[in-house]
C-alpha cells in the first residue's frame, strides 16, 4: 500500500522533511519545485509509514486503500510523475542554522499578513531573540488564503493552522487594521526596526487592452473573487448575474474557480464560508453556461491538473470540450507520440481528451473550454452584450518557445458578464523602488535594490508576489518567505543592518494617535471565534464579517 497526494495539495512541503525514504517530490531543494503544480508520492518507494499525513496542513494525503471514487485518478497522477523523475533514498539534509549574536535582539517589521509574510515570520520567530511585528491594513490576517481561496476549497485553508501557530509565539505581535503610510510611515518603521519586510502581494489585475473592457459587467476576476470571499473593499462590487452566459478570459486556477462558483448549486455554497451578500446574489443568478477562453492550446493551459479534474465532480454541471480544439503544437505532438513529453503536460492532455468524450446531459449547467482563442473586443452599449474573438494558430518562434498568433477568423459569443482572469500585478510601494515592466520591487534574494541589478538598500526586504511577480501558490510562497527571512538573519549576523535609532515601544501609541483601531492577537481571536460561532448556528465553517466596523466591534467585545 502507498499514500497518495490529492487535489488539496498546497505545495507547503511540510511532508517532505518527515518522509524517511525521500519519496515525496519535488522537494524545495529541487529547481522544479518553483513551478510544480503539486507534490507527488512515488508509490514504488513509499513505505506506508504515514508520517506525511500528520504534517500535511490541508489533509491532502490519503492511503491508497482509502481513496474515494473521485480521488482515484490521483493514484495514477502521482505515479505518472515518476515516469520521468527519479527517487533516491535517504533523508532530506537539514539546513545548518546560522548562529545569532547571543546578547542582541533583532527587531523585524513585516508589512502584509499573507502566506509569504507568515512563512518569513515562521523562519524568524524560531529564534527567541528575534522579535516580529506584523502589520496589515485589514482587520484580518492570512491574505489570499482568506480572501482568495475559493470557499468550496475549505481543505486548502487548513494552512491557516500553521499561520496561527506562528502568531501564537511570544516573540510575535499583530498590528492588524493598521495601514503603513497612513497610521505609521515607512521612515518611522525604518527608524524602529533593524529590518522591514514588505510582503504586500500583487494588489491589482492585468488588463486585456481591448475595446469595451470598461463596459459595465466587465469585471476583473480578482475583484469578483474578493467579492464572494467577503473582502471589505469589494462588498459593494456591481455584478449583474441576470444573463444566461458568462465569459471568463483565461484558464488558470482563478479562472476555474470563478467559473465553478458561477455554476455551483447555491445550496452547496451555503455550506461554505462564502460571503452572505454573494450567496444571496448567486441564488438569483441566471447563469447557465460559463465559457473559458484560453489564448494558447491545451498543452499550455495554466490551470493545475488537480483543479481541472475537480470540475468533473461539480454536481449538475457538464464540462464541455470540443475534441477539434485539442490541437497540439508540433513539438508537443512529437514528444507525446514518442513518450518523452513531460508527465504533467501529458496528464493535462489526457484529462482534457477524457472530458471531451463525456456525454452531455440536457438541462445541466455547462463549463465550456475554448482553446487557441483570444478576445479582440467586448461588445455592448453601456454594458456587456458579448465578446468578439479571434481564432489563434501556432507559429514558428525563433527562440524555440511555443508561440501563437491570431488568424483572420473571427466569431462572436453572446454574454452578459465578462471576467478577466489573466493574472495579478504588483503596484508601487511608497518609498520603495519599483520595476514597472515586471510589477515588482527590484531585489536580490529578497534584499531590496535601488534599481534592478543595482545596489542593495540595507534593512529593506520583500517577500511573495511583490518580490518575484504574481506566480506560484502557497508552496512557492513558503520557499520565497524563508529565503527572505534567511537573508535578514544573514545580514544581521554579518552586521550590515543598522541598529534602530528609536525603540519600537511607541508603535502602538503612534498608530492609536493617528486613528487606527489596532487589532492584536486577542482581537483577531475574538473575530475568529465570533465568525465561527455564527457559522455553527447556520451549519457553516464560519459566517464572515465584511465591514470594518463589524470587525472592530467583534474585536472589542472579545477584549471585554
Amino acid at each position: 500500500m502507498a499514500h497518495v497526494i490529492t487535489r488539496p495539495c498546497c505545495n507547503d512541503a511540510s511532508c517532505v522533511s518527515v518522509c524517511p525514504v525521500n519519496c515525496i517530490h519535488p522537494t524545495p531543494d529541487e529547481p522544479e519545485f518553483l513551478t510544480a503544480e503539486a507534490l507527488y508520492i512515488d508509490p514504488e518507494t513509499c513505505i506506508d509509514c504515514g508520517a506525511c499525513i500528520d504534517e500535511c496542513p490541508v489533509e491532502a494525503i490519503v492511503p491508497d486503500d482509502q481513496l474515494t471514487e473521485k480521488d482515484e485518478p490521483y493514484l495514477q497522477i502521482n505515479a505518472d510523475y515518476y515516469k520521468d523523475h527519479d527517487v533516491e533514498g535517504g533523508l532530506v539534509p537539514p539546513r545548518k542554522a546560522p548562529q545569532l549574536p547571543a546578547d542582541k535582539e533583532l527587531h523585524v517589521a513585516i508589512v502584509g499578513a499573507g502566506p509569504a509574510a507568515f512563512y518569513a515570520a515562521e523562519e524568524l520567530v524560531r529564534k527567541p531573540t528575534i522579535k516580529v511585528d506584523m502589520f496589515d491594513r485589514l482587520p484580518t490576517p492570512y491574505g489570499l488564503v482568506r480572501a482568495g481561496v475559493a470557499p468550496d476549497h475549505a481543505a486548502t485553508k487548513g494552512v491557516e493552522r500553521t499561520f496561527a501557530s506562528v502568531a501564537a509565539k511570544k516573540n510575535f505581535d499583530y498590528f492588524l487594521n493598521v495601514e503603513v503610510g497612513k497610521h505609521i510611515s515607512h521612515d518611522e518603521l525604518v527608524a524602529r526596526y533593524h529590518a522591514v519586510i514588505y510582503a504586500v502581494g500583487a494588489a491589482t489585475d492585468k488588463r486585456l487592452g481591448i475595446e469595451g473592457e470598461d463596459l459595465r459587467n466587465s469585471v476583473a476576476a480578482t475583484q469578483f473573487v474578493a467579492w464572494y470571499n467577503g473582502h471589505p473593499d469589494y462588498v459593494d462590487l456591481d455584478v449583474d448575474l441576470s444573463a444566461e452566459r458568462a465569459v471568463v478570459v483565461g484558464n488558470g486556477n482563478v479562472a476555474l474557480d470563478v467559473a465553478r462558483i458561477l455554476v455551483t448549486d447555491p445550496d452547496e455554497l451555503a455550506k461554505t464560508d462564502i460571503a452572505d451578500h454573494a450567496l444571496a446574489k448567486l441564488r438569483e443568478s441566471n447563469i447557465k453556461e460559463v465559457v473559458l477562453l484560453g489564448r494558447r492550446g491545451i498543452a499550455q493551459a495554466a490551470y493545475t491538473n488537480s483543479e481541472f479534474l475537480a470540475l468533473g465532480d461539480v454536481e449538475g454541471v457538464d464540462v464541455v470540450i470540443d475534441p477539434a480544439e485539442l490541437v497540439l503544437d508540433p513539438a508537443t505532438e512529437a514528444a507525446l507520440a514518442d513518450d518523452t513529453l513531460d508527465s504533467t503536460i501529458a496528464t493535462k492532455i489526457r484529462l482534457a481528451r477524457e472530458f471531451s468524450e463525456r456525454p452531455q446531459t440536457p438541462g445541466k449547467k455547462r463549463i465550456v473550454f475554448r482553446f487557441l482563442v483570444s478576445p479582440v473586443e467586448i461588445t455592448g452599449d453601456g454594458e456587456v452584450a458579448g465578446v468578439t474573438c479571434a481564432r489563434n494558430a501556432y507559429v514558428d518562434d525563433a527562440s524555440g518557445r511555443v508561440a501563437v498568433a491570431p488568424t483572420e477568423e473571427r466569431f462572436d459569443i453572446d454574454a452578459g458578464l465578462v471576467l478577466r482572469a489573466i493574472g495579478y500585478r504588483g503596484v508601487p510601494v511608497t518609498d520603495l523602488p519599483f520595476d514597472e515592466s515586471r510589477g515588482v520591487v527590484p531585489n536580490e534574494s529578497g534584499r531590496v535594490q535601488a534599481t534592478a541589478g543595482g545596489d542593495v538598500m540595507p534593512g529593506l526586504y520583500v517577500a511573495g508576489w511583490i518580490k518575484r511577480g504574481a506566480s506560484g501558490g502557497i508552496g512557492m510562497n513558503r520557499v520565497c518567505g524563508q529565503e527572505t527571512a534567511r537573508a535578514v538573519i544573514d545580514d544581521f549576523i554579518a552586521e550590515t543592518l543598522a541598529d534602530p535609532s528609536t525603540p519600537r515601544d511607541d508603535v502602538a501609541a503612534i498608530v492609536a494617535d493617528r486613528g487606527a483601531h489596532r487589532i492584536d492577537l486577542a482581537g483577531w481571536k475574538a473575530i475568529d471565534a465570533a465568525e465561527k460561532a455564527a457559522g455553527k448556528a447556520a451549519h457553516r465553517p464560519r459566517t464572515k464579517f465584511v465591514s470594518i466596523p463589524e470587525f472592530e466591534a467583534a474585536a472589542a467585545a472579545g477584549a471585554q
Side-chain angles (χ1 to χ4, degrees), residues 77-88:
I77 288 173
N78 277 247
D80 284 348
Y81 179 81
Y82 292 94
K83 288 181 178 179
D84 55 358
H85 294 79
D86 294 328
V87 173
E88 296 180 359

Side-chain angles (χ1 to χ4, degrees), residues 30-384:
E30 296 169 352
E32 189 174 341
F33 182 86
L34 305 183
T35 56
E37 293 187 354
L39 305 184
Y40 307 92
I41 294 176
D42 178 25
E44 298 298 323
T45 309
C46 178
I47 61 172
D48 191 34
C49 69
C52 54
I53 291 179
D54 293 333
E55 289 299 314
C56 180
V58 295
E59 301 179 351
I61 304 177
V62 182
D64 61 8
D65 64 348
Q66 296 180 26
L67 289 169
T68 63
E69 182 176 350
K70 73 175 184 178
D71 284 338
E72 284 284 350
Y74 290 100
L75 183 60
Q76 186 62 48
I77 288 173
N78 277 247
D80 284 348
Y81 179 81
Y82 292 94
K83 288 181 178 179
D84 55 358
H85 294 79
D86 294 328
V87 173
E88 296 180 359
L91 292 170
V92 177
R95 181 181 185 271
K96 185 176 181 180
Q99 296 301 308
L100 292 169
D103 58 347
K104 189 176 181 181
E105 288 187 347
L106 169 60
H107 298 169
V108 181
I110 300 179
V111 182
F118 269 100
Y119 285 124
E122 179 185 40
E123 190 76 7
L124 293 168
V125 297
R126 296 182 197 278
K127 304 291 185 182
T129 57
I130 301 179
K131 311 297 183 183
V132 173
D133 291 342
M134 182 174 285
F135 296 78
D136 199 284
R137 70 179 184 87
L138 293 178
T140 57
Y142 308 154
L144 286 181
V145 173
R146 178 181 170 98
V149 173
D152 58 346
H153 282 2
T156 303
K157 299 184 183 185
V159 74
E160 292 178 0
R161 293 193 294 270
T162 298
F163 302 159
S165 68
V166 173
K169 297 286 187 180
K170 292 182 179 179
N171 50 335
F172 179 99
D173 266 324
Y174 270 137
F175 283 80
L176 302 174
N177 212 29
V178 174
E179 185 173 350
V180 173
K182 177 181 178 181
H183 300 123
I184 190 167
S185 71
H186 167 84
D187 288 343
E188 287 170 328
L189 291 180
V190 169
R192 286 163 175 78
Y193 296 88
H194 294 88
V196 181
I197 300 173
Y198 283 88
V200 294
T204 190
D205 64 289
K206 294 180 179 178
R207 301 273 296 176
L208 294 168
I210 62 176
E211 189 72 24
E213 188 170 8
D214 294 318
L215 289 171
R216 179 176 179 269
N217 239 30
S218 171
V219 181
T222 56
Q223 296 178 355
F224 186 70
V225 168
W227 171 74
Y228 64 61
N229 274 320
H231 191 297
D233 291 352
Y234 297 98
V235 173
D236 297 322
L237 184 70
D238 181 22
V239 182
D240 183 353
L241 304 180
S242 61
E244 294 191 354
R245 181 183 291 120
V247 168
V248 179
V249 183
N251 60 13
N253 282 350
V254 172
L256 268 59
D257 280 348
V258 298
R260 190 181 63 255
I261 293 298
L262 282 169
V263 295
T264 295
D265 184 344
D267 287 341
E268 290 299 312
L269 293 177
K271 302 172 185 177
T272 74
D273 66 356
I274 192 170
D276 285 346
H277 60 262
L279 181 62
K281 198 73 171 281
L282 288 164
R283 287 194 183 280
E284 299 173 355
S285 171
N286 291 327
I287 301 289
K288 293 182 173 60
E289 179 177 282
V290 182
V291 181
L292 288 89
L293 306 181
R295 183 177 64 86
R296 298 185 296 173
I298 175 59
Q300 294 81 40
Y303 54 72
T304 60
N305 287 329
S306 293
E307 291 301 318
F308 186 45
L309 181 63
L311 287 182
D313 298 320
V314 181
E315 190 70 28
V317 177
D318 281 336
V319 177
V320 180
I321 301 176
D322 184 347
E325 292 197 358
L326 296 179
V327 179
L328 304 180
D329 62 280
T332 299
E333 187 77 69
L336 184 64
D338 61 19
D339 203 26
T340 59
L341 185 62
D342 177 270
S343 58
T344 300
I345 298 175
T347 299
K348 197 178 298 285
I349 295 168
R350 174 177 63 81
L351 292 175
R353 288 175 173 173
E354 290 175 359
F355 271 124
S356 73
E357 295 170 357
R358 290 189 181 187
Q360 297 173 36
T361 305
K364 278 191 173 184
K365 294 181 179 179
R366 294 155 45 103
I367 297 177
V368 181
F369 284 83
R370 303 295 304 269
F371 297 100
L372 290 168
V373 169
S374 292
V376 294
E377 182 182 0
I378 299 173
T379 58
D381 183 11
E383 61 182 27
V384 171

Side-chain angles (χ1 to χ4, degrees), residues 525-535 543 545 554:
K525 285 184 174 180
I527 292 169
D528 188 42
E531 288 187 335
K532 287 178 177 176
T543 299
F545 298 125

